[in-house]
Amino acid sequence: MRINEVIPISELRKRQAEVLAALEKGPAILTQHGKGAAVLLSFDAYNRLLEELEDLQDAMDALEARQAPGKRLSLDAYLAKRGTRASAAQS
């Protein structure tokens, strides 16, 4: 995601519609007194960013679970265990 524009907050007030339309091309940095104050994103870009963060968190959780000490079952062992339970429940 490339920063599209750097905009003083005072300019945002004057060019609100133009700035919002430009967000479709990429985010913009808002400055106040010459320093970065905020980042503006389109709603779609924000949602994509959140989804990507959630995917990364899921991947990190899976990695941590794999590295955690404790008893593990292979997929075959898990399925066999489930099959045994299913068979016992049917009897």
Side-chain angles (χ1 to χ4, degrees), residues 60-82:
M60 289 297 298
D61 291 345
L63 182 61
E64 288 173 8
R66 284 183 126 187
Q67 294 175 344
K71 188 175 178 182
R72 296 186 189 134
L73 290 175
S74 69
L75 177 60
D76 290 336
Y78 173 76
L79 293 174
K81 187 175 179 181
R82 278 190 64 194

Side-chain angles (χ1 to χ4, degrees), residues 1 4 6 9-10 12 16 24 29 37 41-42 49-51 60-62 68 71 78-79 85:
M1 197 179 295
N4 194 37
V6 177
I9 288 178
S10 58
L12 176 63
Q16 187 176 29
E24 294 305 317
I29 295 177
L41 295 169
S42 71
L49 188 60
L50 284 182
E51 287 176 14
M60 289 297 298
D61 291 345
K71 188 175 178 182
Y78 173 76
L79 293 174
R85 285 186 184 166

Side-chain angles (χ1 to χ4, degrees), residues 22-43:
L23 293 178
E24 294 305 317
K25 297 176 186 171
I29 295 177
L30 290 180
T31 60
Q32 186 172 34
H33 306 297
K35 295 181 181 177
V39 176
L40 287 177
L41 295 169
S42 71
F43 190 70

